[in-house]
Amino acid sequence: MIYIGSIQIRNLPDDVVLRLSELAKKQKISREQYVRELLISFASSEVEQELHNKYDTIIQQLIEILQEQNEIIERNTLAFDTVIDMVQTIINPINSENF
């Protein structure tokens, strides 16, 4: 009976098996544990990469929105400055007449 948490790999080249055994021995763990950790790490990195890609897309969208909002603010600032200049042009002659 094969459990959902089990994987059996057949026909691995001998040199690969020997290398896995050496790497496991260096970490003082069994070859099975070493391969298990490799697979877990690989699967986790795939999930992390997918999340990273999604966050990158969201960040790029937010940057575009912020740039658009910044352009609107700049246009509004220029318009506001123009209105202030116009008001000052009207008010300055009135103020100079009163003094």
Side-chain angles (χ1 to χ4, degrees):
M1 182 168 155
I2 296 177
Y3 298 99
I4 195 153
S6 296
I7 295 176
Q8 184 176 14
I9 302 172
R10 294 187 179 101
N11 302 321
L12 283 173
D14 289 343
D15 60 324
V16 171
V17 175
L18 288 173
R19 181 68 180 140
L20 289 170
S21 295
E22 290 169 5
L23 293 168
K25 187 176 182 179
K26 284 182 183 178
Q27 292 190 17
K28 298 179 182 173
I29 58 176
S30 68
R31 183 175 61 212
E32 179 183 345
Q33 180 65 31
Y34 183 79
V35 172
R36 181 184 304 114
E37 290 175 7
L38 280 176
L39 291 172
I40 290 169
S41 177
F42 177 77
S44 297
S45 67
E46 289 292 316
V47 170
E48 288 173 10
Q49 186 61 45
E50 288 175 17
L51 285 174
H52 179 63
N53 291 342
K54 286 179 184 179
Y55 285 131
D56 274 351
T57 301
I58 291 169
I59 288 170
Q60 287 303 316
Q61 290 171 342
L62 289 172
I63 288 172
E64 290 174 13
I65 291 169
L66 288 171
Q67 287 172 336
E68 291 171 7
Q69 295 299 316
N70 190 46
E71 290 172 11
I72 292 169
I73 289 169
E74 287 176 4
R75 285 195 306 268
N76 286 342
T77 300
L78 289 173
F80 187 67
D81 288 344
T82 302
V83 169
I84 288 174
D85 289 343
M86 291 170 59
V87 169
Q88 286 177 342
T89 303
I90 294 168
I91 292 176
N92 283 342
I94 296 171
N95 285 341
S96 63
E97 288 176 8
N98 292 334
F99 290 110

